[in-house]
Amino acid sequence: GASAMTKRTKPEILAQQTVAQSKLFSIESLDLRFSNGEERTYERMKPSGRNAVMMVPITEQGDILLVREYAAGTERYELGFPKGLIDPGEQPNQAAVRELKEEIGFGANKLTPLKEVILAPSYFSSKMTLFIAEELYSEKLEGDEPEPLDIVRWPLAQAEELLTHLDFCEARSITALLLALRVLNNN
């Protein structure tokens, strides 16, 4: 097993302030004093308290369903799994089914939680719960997407090839796929 990790004393927060704000983002600066006396200023996205979900949908025919969606960060269409924010008062599994209906027009009777992951913990606190979604049924909900998403069917048997696909490079989607394959291969 892993060796015991020494417990560190967390840095003391000397000051905390919002340094920039937009419609979507709030940037916070933290003045920190580390246990050895070193002082530094860190910046981060102010925690929103809203977590997210991502689903690996698998059809009875053995296809993985992906979505091709425009990403403003890379200015191109990225291939990944359906995902979205958890609404206030919603459980992650409820959000997962709702987002599936909004993004790909399917609900799921069986959800298998894989792991809660964090994107770039130096800057973000939000967590994303990854699920396998199976026993799909047809049901469409109106989402907030600006254009219909392209749905791409990919044979589960060729999942390894998906990992080398140029448009499939979103880290959380890759993580979800690898964790899903580990679970499915053990069944």
Side-chain angles (χ1 to χ4, degrees), residues 8-9 11-12 14 32-40:
R8 305 285 306 250
T9 304
E12 180 191 353
L14 305 173
L32 302 174
R33 182 186 294 132
F34 286 80
S35 59
N36 62 1
E38 282 289 322
E39 293 189 8
R40 294 281 192 287

Side-chain angles (χ1 to χ4, degrees), residues 51-155:
N51 292 331
V53 291
M54 175 181 278
M55 294 66 64
V56 180
I58 299 167
T59 66
E60 275 177 62
Q61 295 76 39
D63 289 331
I64 306 170
L65 299 180
L66 298 126
V67 291
R68 195 184 294 281
E69 187 171 12
Y70 182 76
T74 54
E75 294 180 28
R76 61 178 212 148
Y77 283 84
E78 302 282 353
L79 195 56
F81 293 116
K83 62 184 186 307
L85 288 173
I86 300 172
D87 285 339
E90 217 177 19
Q91 292 303 312
N93 58 333
Q94 294 169 319
V97 173
R98 177 183 52 75
E99 284 291 342
L100 285 169
K101 291 175 182 178
E102 290 177 3
E103 294 203 346
I104 61 169
F106 286 100
N109 283 319
K110 184 183 174 193
L111 288 175
T112 308
L114 294 166
K115 189 177 172 73
E116 205 176 52
V117 296
I118 304 170
L119 176 77
S122 303
Y123 304 107
F124 300 100
S125 64
S126 295
K127 296 177 179 74
M128 176 179 262
T129 305
L130 309 176
F131 291 96
I132 299 175
E134 294 170 292
E135 296 176 18
L136 306 180
Y137 57 90
S138 220
E139 188 177 326
K140 183 95 184 105
L141 278 179
E142 204 52 53
D144 54 4
E145 271 68 38
E147 61 182 0
L149 301 181
D150 288 332
I151 299 168
V152 177
R153 285 178 178 265
W154 194 281

